Amino acid sequence: MKTLVTGGAGFIGSHLCDHLVARGHEVTVLDDLSTGSIDNLSHAERAPGFRFVHGDILDRDLVDALVAESDAVYHLAAAVGVHTIVDSPLRSLRTNLHGTENVVEAAVAHQVPYMVASTSEVYGKNDADGLTEDDDRVYGSPTKSRWSYAAAKGLDELVAYVHGVESGVPCVITRFFNVVGPRQTGRYGMVVPRFVDQALNGAPITVYGTGTQRRCFGSVFDVVPAMTRLMETPEAHNRAVNLGGREEVSIKGLADRVIALTGSTSSITYVDYEQAYGEGYEDMQRRYPDTSLAARLIGFEPTRDLNDIIQSLVEHRRSIQSVPTPA
Ligand code: UDP
């Protein structure tokens, strides 16, 4: 089976490629290496039929040609990470809107089943105790870049969903909740690799805001197999499905946990949101997934707790010789 993975050199994308090649897929990766890295593909690229294409999802003709020769498409290429979104809002918007439109239109034109990776950001400030897929989106002003990102991902879902319904081509939308694991970098904002790198370097752990905001981190090793299972499950088609972990933690609690697990001498330093992200930034206080739909559809059950998730990243970072401290 020929499978196209856009964004396959990224963190989740590269783990998906490993999983697909282990299942005998001939994988083609389309990636512009803006935030991904070719090093992430060192396992997958040894597999028969593996191909890396350095290119942009905004290149409509290239996308169309690659989709036309595929049996399935996983679309993960996107502008990701809060720092990326805040620093390059227009570029991020273009990539996330038009890039997804290109992939979905090509998939529908060539009748190729497709998955569009979305995010828990689409729920915005809704801090319900267990967000379900039909819950409301609660956004601030679109002039604040974080909400423009959330709005763009919401539109991506709509483009994917409506095309899927109207064409009958199988489509799955996955909403990732703070997925973490080896190969994830803190360079673009993600908190766990940032804290791990800071702890391993003995640098201050930068907790933004009060640290009372809460998140629930999921393991990439739980989420990736769920993606292929959803694609193979007809009842999952034309649905958005939450994927994430179960253990909720405050960001201050996360910092304490990372310090304890690494045996670090780092202290915790509190940084204002404005200093971290610039003026007018809004954070969500809580984001906790209800993953019972995934459980019903494919028997999804997170198997890694927060300690496992942090440890997997620590081991990976320790295996890399020097660990740069995130700015
Ligand atoms: N965060 C933090 N220090 C950092 C990076 C992030 O305290 O160095 C906070 C961030 O403000 C947010 C949480 O950690 O409250 C999760 O941030 P991340 O960017 O990983 O994911 P998201 O905000 O999309 O949930």
Side-chain angles (χ1 to χ4, degrees):
M1 175 154 173
K2 292 187 173 178
T3 303
L4 175 65
V5 181
T6 74
F11 155 56
I12 300 177
S14 66
H15 285 282
L16 175 64
C17 290
D18 290 346
H19 183 69
L20 290 167
V21 301
R23 292 164 64 97
H25 291 236
E26 286 180 39
V27 173
T28 295
V29 165
L30 172 63
D31 201 300
D32 67 357
L33 299 180
S34 54
T35 55
S37 165
I38 201 78
D39 295 343
N40 289 341
L41 293 166
S42 56
H43 301 281
E45 69 187 356
R46 291 196 289 264
F50 179 86
R51 182 168 51 141
F52 176 75
V53 178
H54 188 192
D56 193 333
I57 51 169
L58 292 175
D59 183 341
R60 203 180 156 85
D61 293 340
L62 175 63
V63 167
D64 189 76
L66 293 175
V67 170
E69 59 192 42
S70 303
D71 303 309
V73 181
Y74 290 82
H75 173 49
L76 286 91
V80 292
V82 172
H83 284 294
T84 312
I85 309 309
V86 169
D87 294 345
S88 315
L90 185 56
R91 166 99 202 147
S92 303
L93 200 59
R94 282 210 179 106
T95 301
N96 293 343
L97 282 178
H98 301 311
T100 300
E101 209 169 24
N102 288 344
V103 174
V104 170
E105 285 179 1
V108 166
H110 300 289
Q111 306 267 298
V112 177
Y114 58 99
M115 169 174 287
V116 169
S118 185
T119 162
S120 53
E121 285 276 328
V122 296
Y123 295 104
K125 292 187 268 191
N126 189 334
D127 61 0
D129 186 19
L131 289 159
T132 64
E133 287 80 358
D134 289 336
D135 276 345
D136 290 341
R137 296 185 282 162
V138 182
Y139 292 172
S141 165
T143 55
K144 293 185 176 166
S145 51
R146 179 167 206 154
W147 307 124
S148 83
Y149 171 71
K153 292 304 284 188
L155 276 175
D156 280 355
E157 288 198 13
L158 202 55
V159 166
Y161 177 74
V162 172
H163 275 84
V165 169
E166 292 201 359
S167 67
V169 177
C171 143
V172 175
I173 297 156
T174 44
R175 289 188 188 149
F176 298 135
F177 280 71
N178 294 83
V179 177
V180 179
R183 302 180 193 156
Q184 189 177 35
T185 162
R187 209 174 304 139
Y188 310 107
M190 284 73 171
V191 67
V192 182
R194 288 177 66 82
F195 283 7
V196 166
D197 288 354
Q198 289 164 341
L200 292 179
N201 285 316
I205 309 266
T206 54
V207 169
Y208 297 163
T210 60
T212 54
Q213 69 272 33
R214 303 179 77 76
R215 293 293 187 275
C216 175
F217 296 94
S219 168
V220 73
F221 298 118
D222 285 328
V223 162
V224 160
M227 294 170 72
T228 52
R229 286 208 302 278
L230 287 168
M231 278 286 262
E232 291 157 4
T233 303
E235 295 74 32
H237 296 163
N238 287 317
R239 280 179 180 273
V241 183
N242 290 340
L243 292 174
R246 197 177 290 129
E247 190 179 344
E248 197 180 17
V249 66
S250 72
I251 297 305
K252 161 72 167 67
L254 174 70
D256 290 336
R257 193 84 74 96
V258 169
I259 289 171
L261 287 172
T262 52
S264 173
T265 54
S266 291
S267 58
I268 293 176
T269 176
Y270 290 88
V271 179
D272 288 347
Y273 283 118
E274 285 209 350
Q275 203 184 324
Y277 299 118
E279 211 181 313
Y281 185 81
E282 282 185 271
D283 198 10
M284 46 280 278
Q285 284 311 298
R286 183 173 192 225
R287 194 157 65 195
Y288 186 74
D290 179 325
T291 54
S292 56
L293 176 61
R296 281 201 303 282
L297 290 169
I298 55 165
F300 177 74
E301 182 80 27
T303 60
R304 271 89 169 173
D305 64 17
L306 184 60
N307 283 5
D308 297 331
I309 290 171
I310 295 170
Q311 287 291 11
S312 73
L313 205 57
V314 171
E315 278 160 29
H316 179 253
R317 301 307 278 165
R318 281 196 169 130
S319 73
I320 298 171
Q321 287 214 316
S322 86
V323 179
T325 305

